[in-house]
Amino acid sequence: MTFTTLTGLLNTLSSLGLAAFVFFKRPKHTTNQAYLFFGLTVGLYSVGYFLWGLAPSAAEGLFAFKILTSGIILINSAYLEFVFSLLGERKRKWILWTCHVVNLYFVYATLSLQLFKSVVQKNIWGYWPVVENLFYAYFAIWLGQFLYGLLNLYVGYKKTHGQRSTQIKYVFASTLIGYFGGATNWLPWFNITFFPPHLNILVTAYVAILAYAVVRHHLMDVEVVIKRTLVFTGLFATALVIVAVITTVAQSYIGQSARFTPIVSTALSVFIAILLYDPVRSFLEKLTENVLFQKKVDYEKIEEDVSNSIKITDLDKLCQSLVGIFYEGMKLTHVILFLYDEEKKEFRIGASRGIGREPWLALKESDSLTQGLRRENTGTVYLKADLEIHQKVLSKGLEALRCETLAKVVFEDRLIALLCLGKKKSDEDFTTRDQQLLLKAANQMAVSISHATTFRLQRDYYALQAQRNKSDALSNLSAGLGHEVKNPLNQIRPRVELLIDAYENKRLRSDDPAILDNLQTQLRHVDRIIKIMDRLSRFARPTEGEAIKLGAVSLRPFVEEAIGLIGEKQLANDNIKVEIKIPDDLPTVYAEETSLIQVFYNLIVNAHHAINRNGVIRIGAQDVPQDGKVLVKIEDTGKGIPPENIEKIFEPFFTTKPTNLPQDGSERFTGSGLGLAFVKKYMEDLGGSVTVTSQVGKGTTFYLKFLRSRGEKE
Amino acid sequence: MTINQSGVSKKKVLLIDDEPDSHEPFKTKLEQEGYEVLTANGGEEAWQKIVAEKPQVLILDIRMPGLNGEELLIKLRDTEVSPGTKIIIATGVSDYGHTKDRIMRNFNIVAYLEKPVALRDLVEKVNAALGKTNA
């Protein structure tokens, strides 16, 4: 069997196989039927070709040529039928029928030996017909029909767009290649025999290209889900055929040149085949697994994952998760999720996979995608392949992102996000099922993204509040401290002025005792300021990021420190008496120094604010050895806390103090509502607790329980 | 009212502040400027001296134990015990202008100074309050 003979067999099998596949996928559609017809005619031609290759005598060669030529003639009829059907051409049916009639006549002419009467041995390629004059007319008409079909395809390709256009392009290219391959057989007809018709194999190439278009671009509306096993089998079969071709060719050449006996050369080719079998198999296995990984998309799992994502409240994590679901679930080249930035009026990347560090970070209003979307009010999921001509801007926008599909995420009529999907790694087109999935997912994403966005706003709000609280505490503190510092400064400044004054007026005498007194007074007040600043820095020492240094501490100095921070004078100015009753033998407790001052500061400031003016703050402490705790009581004679508020006072942001002082002077203190929340958290972190009792109009008592440090005494 | 060398009666200035040392430098300076300077360490003491001495100028602190500056101002306004007395505030209260706004709105104040007070400023304000162009 020669190579050309083998191509005949291969072409027969491949074209009939594809035609049968396409037909049985949608048997009722005319295009699919037309393609079956086309496949059958190519098959007929190829069968004839195969038989011709095997023909042992001129009689059998002539018989083979009758089949072969009939096939060639009918191919054009089927081709035009298929092209017209594919393009939806209905008006020029008469052309088709004319061709059919003409072609049938030529089939008749072939069978009645009017195109050729006999075959002779030409070159080494076997028997070939000796042409009659009618052959030239037939050849011209045949060529005309083929070119007419090709022209129609080209026009159709130019007229359409999107997937249709792509499909037609594939038909155009593949049939051109197939015809070209087959056309190498025309040469011996004209007695040109130096070029063997090896390119006949291109007919199989045409089938392969068209099969690809069927799978990839849904040519003839065939939806194919290729199973891994099927791909592997197909590839393996192809590889085997290639090996077979190589060994056959090798057999005939080597057999001829090296003069091996047929048995030796067959054994040799079997040996080669065995040798190649394993590496080819493992290579193909890897190829199917990695490159042509066609695992079916698990739509249900993706849907479930997307609906589960609503539980993610962190917007960044949510975006990452969603992008991951599509990227991995649908096996895409890349996924980008854009979030709309209300402030900047642009879409910014919330998360992405597979795009690396792309330079575009945002879609501005001026970008073609955004513009395209503004023009498109309808629809949620856009497939680039399905976009109409008037949606060119949108198409261009998707092109820029190298995206095939876009899903709009709309919440309460606002476009809040865009999900842009790249190609499938399998190179398949997006299907209606994909579209359904994205539609459903877009709705769920609208909920989860808006949920997370709200959550983020809320978190930002709390962060802002916490920040505000800190600055509030600081402003309270600095107002108090400001007073504390300004008083000594008010002692220093005029004394300095007096000295300068005396110096300028030459009244400065070094033995004047008033000068020494002046300077000593100044020094005393400078020391006062230094002490205040020390306290402030101890209070405001940042503890964030620092490991809390827990240790055994005695409480009394911290109570005194806190009072010092508020300012004994401040308290005195408001006629508030502070009574401290802490036993000298009180055990040390587990605590961390800076926070401990803040706990006492917060509670004593609260007591001060509750009293406002004229009252007493009593601070007591006692050992409770049976509990292993130390109890601290901070009691005030202030206005008290109403029962309905007592549960809430430890909640963050709960406060009865105004956040800004009213102009009428009815309130003197501001609050952010975080002081007591801080106290509670800190005490609990220490393994202690804080509780409260209160009576409106009488006063409030806070109880702090600290863990004793191993029951040691101070 | 004392009579100075030129035979003109000296104007009286009352310094009110609870800080023990705080009167001294101001007293020295104002006396150099030719004023008679009285001092009080709190609101109650100040009230007694106003009633008794009727000073032309008060230099008043706000935050003080007992009767504080604001309460003293209310008492002065409501009783009209010394209607001609000019009031200058000198305070260390730093609450972002809240107290200042309130006091300036509710009382007839000629100047509001914040601690630490510059001697030169104080003298200038006292002079201005009494219509003296130069010291």
Side-chain angles (χ1 to χ4, degrees), chain A residues 13-75:
Chain A
L13 296 175
S14 63
S15 61
L16 287 178
L18 182 65
F21 177 74
V22 165
F23 174 73
F24 287 115
K25 272 282 174 182
R26 286 165 62 106
K28 285 179 184 163
H29 289 255
T30 49
T31 314
N32 299 49
Q33 290 164 359
Y35 188 73
L36 176 68
F37 179 30
F38 187 46
L40 287 172
T41 56
V42 175
L44 184 67
Y45 153 71
S46 299
V47 163
Y49 200 87
F50 176 63
L51 291 175
W52 157 78
L54 295 174
S57 69
E60 279 137 335
L62 187 63
F63 172 70
F65 251 96
K66 281 182 182 172
I67 297 172
L68 186 158
T69 309
S70 300
I72 291 180
I73 296 164
L74 291 173
I75 279 176

Side-chain angles (χ1 to χ4, degrees), chain A residues 449-495:
Chain A
I449 290 175
S450 69
H451 181 229
T453 310
T454 314
F455 204 80
R456 169 174 281 192
L457 286 176
Q458 225 164 43
R459 193 195 63 189
D460 290 351
Y461 171 77
Y462 278 114
L464 196 74
Q465 285 295 316
Q467 186 70 39
R468 202 174 140 181
N469 169 68
K470 199 177 167 189
S471 68
D472 205 68
L474 212 63
S475 75
N476 262 345
L477 189 68
S478 65
L481 281 176
H483 188 248
E484 291 289 286
V485 172
K486 280 172 181 177
N487 272 319
L489 282 174
N490 198 46
Q491 305 274 9
I492 299 163
R493 195 179 200 288
R495 284 181 170 81

Side-chain angles (χ1 to χ4, degrees), chain A residues 475 478-479 483 486-487 489-491 493-495 497-498 501 524-525 528 569-570 572-573 575 613 663, chain B residues 18-19 21-22 25-26 29 63-66 68 71 92-94 96 98 102 105 115-119:
Chain A
S475 75
S478 65
H483 188 248
K486 280 172 181 177
N487 272 319
L489 282 174
N490 198 46
Q491 305 274 9
R493 195 179 200 288
R495 284 181 170 81
E497 281 188 287
L498 278 180
D501 216 24
R524 214 169 53 239
H525 290 289
R528 242 176 101 186
K569 193 170 167 297
Q570 297 272 40
N573 284 344
N575 299 325
R613 289 172 64 81
Q663 285 294 305
Chain B
D18 63 313
E19 281 266 320
D21 300 330
S22 70
F26 298 102
K29 182 68 183 175
R63 281 206 187 154
M64 291 181 295
N68 70 22
E71 289 162 339
V93 173
S94 47
Y96 315 101
H98 290 294
R102 192 170 65 240
R105 201 169 47 243
K115 289 179 180 178
V117 175
L119 283 180

Side-chain angles (χ1 to χ4, degrees), chain A residues 250-267:
Chain A
Q251 201 181 340
S252 56
Y253 275 102
I254 297 169
Q256 277 174 5
S257 54
R259 300 193 184 283
F260 287 139
T261 61
I263 294 170
V264 172
S265 58
T266 307

Side-chain angles (χ1 to χ4, degrees), chain A residues 182-475:
Chain A
T184 53
N185 290 304
W186 285 117
L187 301 174
W189 290 85
F190 298 97
N191 294 322
I192 303 166
T193 52
F194 64 88
F195 190 79
H198 277 173
L199 290 180
N200 197 45
I201 189 74
L202 285 178
V203 174
T204 292
Y206 132 77
V207 174
I209 294 167
L210 211 65
Y212 171 78
V214 167
V215 172
R216 169 73 176 83
H217 298 291
H218 309 294
L219 183 60
M220 288 172 269
D221 296 326
V222 174
E223 294 247 350
V224 190
V225 177
I226 296 191
K227 292 191 178 71
R228 227 183 310 181
T229 46
L230 194 70
V231 171
F232 177 68
T233 315
L235 278 172
F236 195 55
T238 312
L240 281 183
V241 168
I242 293 168
V243 171
V245 169
I246 292 169
T247 46
T248 313
V249 172
Q251 201 181 340
S252 56
Y253 275 102
I254 297 169
Q256 277 174 5
S257 54
R259 300 193 184 283
F260 287 139
T261 61
I263 294 170
V264 172
S265 58
T266 307
L268 196 68
S269 48
V270 167
F271 177 70
I272 293 171
I274 290 169
L275 214 62
L276 286 175
Y277 179 82
D278 228 38
V280 167
R281 192 184 52 103
S282 70
F283 168 74
L284 290 178
E285 255 170 14
K286 270 186 199 156
L287 194 73
T288 1
E289 281 296 321
N290 302 333
V291 185
L292 299 166
F293 194 61
Q294 301 270 357
K295 199 164 98 184
K296 198 181 163 195
V297 176
D298 190 345
Y299 290 101
E300 275 167 30
K301 187 176 180 298
I302 296 177
E303 277 167 10
E304 196 187 314
D305 287 350
V306 170
S307 76
N308 276 338
S309 71
I310 190 135
K311 291 175 198 154
I312 307 173
T313 47
D314 183 292
L315 188 59
D316 289 331
K317 279 186 194 155
L318 174 69
C319 291
Q320 287 295 340
S321 162
L322 288 171
V323 163
I325 290 168
F326 292 103
Y327 180 76
E328 278 152 23
M330 298 182 82
K331 308 205 167 33
L332 303 171
T333 53
H334 61 282
V335 177
I336 312 165
L337 179 62
F338 287 99
L339 297 179
Y340 191 65
D341 189 324
E342 292 279 352
E343 263 176 51
K344 295 192 173 140
K345 304 272 174 235
E346 64 184 21
F347 290 94
R348 301 183 69 79
I349 296 183
S352 68
R353 289 284 292 275
I355 60 164
R357 286 164 186 257
E358 290 288 337
W360 28 265
L361 290 164
L363 291 176
K364 301 198 187 310
E365 284 297 331
S366 55
D367 285 345
S368 47
L369 186 63
T370 326
Q371 284 189 344
L373 284 171
R374 291 273 174 261
R375 284 187 205 170
E376 283 309 309
N377 294 322
T378 54
T380 303
V381 179
Y382 300 103
L383 300 186
K384 198 177 95 191
D386 285 355
L387 291 177
E388 306 285 332
I389 296 257
H390 69 270
Q391 293 170 314
K392 214 163 193 172
V393 188
L394 194 58
S395 171
K396 222 174 102 189
L398 280 170
E399 192 76 54
L401 297 175
R402 291 183 287 111
C403 283
E404 295 286 304
T405 303
L406 173 110
K408 292 201 286 194
V409 180
V410 180
F411 188 74
E412 288 175 349
D413 292 336
R414 282 177 301 117
L415 183 56
I416 58 169
L418 297 175
L419 181 69
C420 301
L421 306 182
K423 280 184 182 175
K424 288 187 181 177
K425 281 177 181 163
S426 64
D427 207 30
E428 286 172 279
D429 270 353
F430 283 84
T431 60
T432 345
R433 182 68 187 91
D434 293 324
Q435 236 170 327
Q436 281 169 2
L437 169 79
L438 289 172
L439 198 67
K440 196 170 169 189
N443 285 335
Q444 273 163 345
M445 282 164 66
V447 179
S448 58
I449 290 175
S450 69
H451 181 229
T453 310
T454 314
F455 204 80
R456 169 174 281 192
L457 286 176
Q458 225 164 43
R459 193 195 63 189
D460 290 351
Y461 171 77
Y462 278 114
L464 196 74
Q465 285 295 316
Q467 186 70 39
R468 202 174 140 181
N469 169 68
K470 199 177 167 189
S471 68
D472 205 68
L474 212 63
S475 75

